[in-house]
Amino acid sequence: MLLLQQKATTVTDLQGAFMMPGLIDAHVHLLGGGQSLSWVDLRHANSKAAVAEAVKAVVAQAPSNQWVMGHGWEEAHWGGVPPSADWIDGISPVNPVLLYRMDVHMVLINTAALRLVGIDSNTEVPEGGKVVLGNGNEPTGILVDNAIALVMSHIPNLTLGGKMQALKAAVDHIVTKGVTTVCDMGSIGEVEEVWEALEQVYMPAADKGELPIRVFAMVPLTTWPRLHQLVKARGRAHPGGHLHWGGLKAFADGSLGSRTALMKEPYADDPTTRGIRLTPYSDMELLVQAADAVELQVAIHAIGDQANDDVLAMYSHAQRNNSHLASPRRHRIEHVQHVSGSDAMLAFSQLQTVAVVNPLHLLSDMHIMTDRLGRQRGSAEHAFAYNAMLKAGVQMAFASDWPVVPLDPLLGMYTAVHRRSPDSPASQAWHIEGAVLPEQAMMAHTKGAAFACGLEGSIGVIRPGMQADFTVLDGNLPDVLHRGLNELPKVKATYVKGQLQYVSAQAAPDLAGRT
């Protein structure tokens, strides 16, 4: 590397620290992640009292009638019974409250919110959604998937200034995790909000040089003509190289925890349902065909085995119908949590479809897998089947899905290699036969994620001619992953385009002035 040194080159002595290509998170919700840093955090709530206490602390600070937002609850933490509005009504009788389940496919709202929105037993529910009713046929406060839209229009959108603050908060957090590039999948709100984020938040930030990380921004699949016009007018990237576009996002189904992931067979613990198809098959297929025809990348959320098979069939049809085009579009499927078997994996490989997977979802779903699906569908050949997919030649990228789970690529890689968290004993590993090798995990959060974003020509590896995006750790990551040590390395520094964007307090004296 020193052979490349020139007169203007700054050389930094990392004092024996471990340096690797800048980490890439291939699936985040950028502004939502920034907002969530100030929301009620329920990820560690393990009882009704803990939920109420966390909400109480935020309500006490909120102006009267202002919405209070939260995220991260998981009913498995307190025995499996979903919460209800009366859990928090006494804490917040005036302020409307909305609390996302950890998978963001289910929310709890309080009675103040139900009244404000006008939800009752007679409310017409959008297709692909559900308002859960309880005793007396009255809403419990739980809304599922597309029913969440009933309440979202009543929550004031962030101002432009608020979105800028959310972006800064998100980026400030991201660089502390050693992440240099993210693929932003947008919000789950209104379509126009996603475009406003790209055009009114990210583009101006890039213009001013105030986007210190690289962002590949997706927009809704239904807006493919608008994206096509943008690509024709401005190409696929901002000239500064920190902002990219050209991808489209859609939802095929929901989540395992909410029993809305679309499965081929009924759920083992609820034989009345196979899940929910969030977008009609024919509508989605037409959109995929149209986007593929104008050479735009498509990324579709699919968790259930039926949903994954459906999306693969759509991509196959598009490839055949548009076979006259010179190059494949490198479409993606997001999450790929449950697959039907070897035929599906072969289809991934043959279609060159990228599987963008989320190892940290394993830590939450492993405890409900057998109950929801039974032993066969809950095995490593069908659920979180990373090893089997790699052996089948599937191109894989790792991602967090932040703020659904924490943005923590080091923990994600550890989970993929050991099928457990670092603070759990090895005996609690979930189907270790599904684990990947440390080198494969590191590849999926660097080169593989770059490939998923179409940026493998400039980032994802360290070699001459590539962008100088680096993550510096205080320990040897391959060694930690191989040995299964319980303490992960800490991020010492994050470099993007050769510029230091983050340095830990402990590392600052070592890195300052050493050239």
Side-chain angles (χ1 to χ4, degrees), residues 175-217:
V175 294
T176 69
K177 301 299 182 179
V179 173
T180 58
T181 300
V182 298
C183 181
D184 176 38
M185 309 308 288
S187 69
I188 57 174
E190 298 177 5
V191 165
E192 196 55 36
E193 275 192 65
V194 182
W195 276 94
E196 286 175 1
L198 173 59
E199 296 179 332
Q200 299 181 27
V201 181
Y202 304 159
M203 285 183 178
D207 288 341
K208 298 174 185 176
E210 296 176 354
L211 195 60
I213 63 170
R214 302 184 196 277
V215 176
F216 179 66

Side-chain angles (χ1 to χ4, degrees), residues 237-442:
H238 184 275
H242 281 226
L243 178 60
H244 305 261
W245 52 82
L248 297 152
K249 170 74 185 296
F251 286 85
D253 68 345
S255 72
L256 181 72
S258 301
R259 295 186 188 86
T260 53
L262 188 62
M263 306 299 297
K264 287 180 170 296
E265 300 294 335
Y267 280 82
D269 59 354
D270 185 358
T272 66
T273 184
R274 293 193 303 116
I276 294 177
R277 192 187 301 278
L278 292 183
T279 307
Y281 185 99
S282 58
D283 293 353
M284 180 91 78
E285 184 171 38
L286 288 174
L287 290 167
V288 169
Q289 298 267 1
D292 185 82
V294 293
E295 302 186 68
L296 296 175
Q297 183 188 42
V298 179
I300 298 180
H301 165 121
I303 287 184
D305 55 9
Q306 182 67 65
N308 276 282
D309 282 358
D310 286 351
V311 176
L312 287 168
M314 294 176 196
Y315 289 167
S316 178
H317 295 163
Q319 190 176 98
R320 289 199 303 270
N321 290 348
N322 299 321
S323 59
H324 60 284
L325 297 174
S327 59
R329 258 59 65 208
R330 195 177 301 173
H331 299 317
R332 306 166 29 153
I333 299 184
E334 310 300 303
H335 312 304
V336 198
Q337 191 164 306
H338 305 282
V339 292
S340 56
S342 57
D343 286 348
M345 297 180 201
L346 181 61
F348 265 98
S349 180
Q350 291 177 337
L351 293 169
Q352 299 180 15
T353 297
V354 183
V356 180
V357 302
N358 314 103
L360 289 183
H361 284 312
L362 173 62
L363 297 183
S364 57
D365 283 358
M366 61 192 286
H367 306 293
I368 62 173
M369 197 80 66
T370 301
D371 287 343
R372 289 283 193 277
L373 302 178
R375 292 193 178 278
Q376 182 177 355
R377 288 187 296 173
S379 71
E381 292 298 312
H382 297 278
F384 295 91
Y386 304 160
N387 185 24
M389 285 194 285
L390 287 173
K391 285 181 176 177
V394 178
Q395 180 69 42
M396 186 175 291
F398 279 1
S400 65
D401 199 15
W402 184 58
V404 175
V405 295
L407 187 144
D408 193 339
L410 299 180
L411 179 59
M413 287 185 277
Y414 188 99
T415 301
V417 172
H418 296 286
R419 309 285 276 194
R420 62 180 174 87
S421 65
D423 55 3
S424 299
S427 61
Q428 291 185 7
W430 188 84
H431 285 288
I432 193 64
E433 68 273 18
V436 303
L437 297 173
E439 294 78 11
Q440 292 171 325
M442 294 173 64

